[in-house]
Amino acid sequence: MSLLNGLNPIGAPYRGRWHPDVFARHGYVHEAGALVKRLLVGGREGPNFVIFGRARSGSTLLVKLLGQVEDIHCRGEALHFGVLAPRAHLARLAALRKAPVHGCKLLSYQLVEVQRMRSVAAFLRGLVEDGTVLIHLTRGTLAQATSLAVAQQTALYHVGRGAGAGRAPVHLDPQAFVAQARMQLGLLQMERAALSGLPHMQVDYERDLLPAEAHQPTIDRICARLGARPGPVESPLRKILSPRLEEAVANAGEILAALEENGLGRLIAEAADRSPQWMPGAAIAAE
């Protein structure tokens, strides 16, 4: 059961009530290791940031771009697995930085479903009190939910630039997709509510990450906010799926009709506004 107003998480790796990463020992082992290392070797102080947003919103790309900047040590999903004390764990990881500026990404589902936080807003407020810069990463929900549903079904999440061609169109269950879209909308609403009143930067996938020419200005803007020296960046990733919705999802028409029938037509309108090429005859850009 999701903590998000009764909405249930959809797709792999969920099996019933609990996300398996809640109980995976990797997180607790890593947490203990960071604690011991912090006690033994001390640490370094400096600016911290977190990238906060939904899965399949471009966070992996943003992490890899920031990781190319010499002054920045940007980790991946620091709270992918369950830990006992998330805020303290992030503070220890920051102290063990390998560059003047330290950051990581926090996916909203991980805070809700894996860390089982009662109040994401209180957690983020605590990070701000610790001096952390929050970067809210957003993407149009139709594109984001489609990218997630396809990745869950194919188990293909990212590929390097030198990889081969994308996969054939997949068939998605329309009602399962509607449930996925509702869950992702719920997460976005939670993110916005949790960030309300807190200082944060905004990065938009369609505007700041989808066009390759926007990568450098986006990274330069973040560096300026963090006090890091900017450097040249280039994406190491290739978009997985075809840029046309109907070439990525075999039954795209059924999916759009199901959204309309279930009161989610606004997602189609949003996609038409954010990325007009996404609609039938429309583009879907996977990370």
Side-chain angles (χ1 to χ4, degrees), residues 79 193 201 204 245 257:
L79 297 179
M201 295 186 68
D204 180 85
L245 175 57

Side-chain angles (χ1 to χ4, degrees), residues 138-141 143 204-211 274-275 278:
T138 55
R139 183 181 187 181
T141 297
D204 180 85
Y205 177 82
E206 283 85 356
R207 180 192 66 209
D208 300 320
L209 294 176
L210 181 58
R274 292 172 69 97
S275 296
W278 278 53

Side-chain angles (χ1 to χ4, degrees), residues 13-220:
Y14 293 96
R15 294 293 183 271
R17 180 182 179 90
W18 297 97
H19 192 293
D21 291 339
V22 174
F23 303 109
R25 63 187 180 91
H26 305 76
Y28 305 108
V29 170
H30 189 229
E31 183 179 24
L35 173 59
V36 171
K37 189 173 182 180
R38 178 74 170 91
L39 293 173
L40 291 177
V41 304
R44 300 169 59 185
E45 299 298 323
N48 300 314
F49 68 93
V50 297
I51 300 164
F52 175 56
R54 297 175 294 178
R56 308 304 293 171
S57 292
S59 59
T60 297
L61 173 57
L62 186 55
V63 165
K64 289 186 177 296
L65 291 173
L66 287 168
Q68 296 172 37
V69 178
E70 185 177 357
D71 277 0
I72 296 178
H73 175 197
C74 191
R75 302 177 189 267
E77 299 171 16
L79 297 179
H80 183 96
F81 299 105
V83 298
L84 297 175
R87 182 177 170 186
H89 182 53
L90 293 184
R92 294 186 195 107
L93 292 178
L96 298 171
R97 69 188 64 217
K98 298 177 180 178
V101 179
H102 176 271
C104 64
K105 71 173 178 176
L106 306 177
L107 299 182
S108 51
Y109 88 86
Q110 293 168 353
L111 303 189
V112 174
E113 297 292 339
V114 178
Q115 306 302 331
R116 310 296 288 180
M117 292 183 179
R118 291 180 179 272
S119 174
V120 173
F123 174 72
L124 295 180
R125 191 179 311 115
L127 294 184
V128 171
E129 291 170 357
D130 293 339
T132 301
V133 174
L134 305 179
I135 301 174
H136 189 210
L137 178 59
T138 55
R139 183 181 187 181
T141 297
L142 176 58
Q144 180 265 339
T146 303
S147 179
L148 179 58
V150 171
Q152 287 176 325
Q153 185 161 312
T154 62
L156 183 64
Y157 286 81
H158 304 101
V159 294
R161 295 183 66 183
R167 298 193 178 201
V170 301
H171 187 283
L172 298 177
D173 179 87
Q175 292 310 309
F177 185 82
V178 168
Q180 180 70 271
R182 291 193 190 282
M183 180 66 184
Q184 297 309 313
L185 276 175
L187 284 171
L188 180 60
Q189 292 166 1
M190 179 276 291
E191 292 172 12
R192 288 172 172 165
L195 288 165
S196 179
L198 295 178
H200 62 278
M201 295 186 68
Q202 190 72 39
V203 175
D204 180 85
Y205 177 82
E206 283 85 356
R207 180 192 66 209
D208 300 320
L209 294 176
L210 181 58
E213 62 272 18
H215 292 173
Q216 192 67 58
T218 298
I219 299 306
D220 290 349

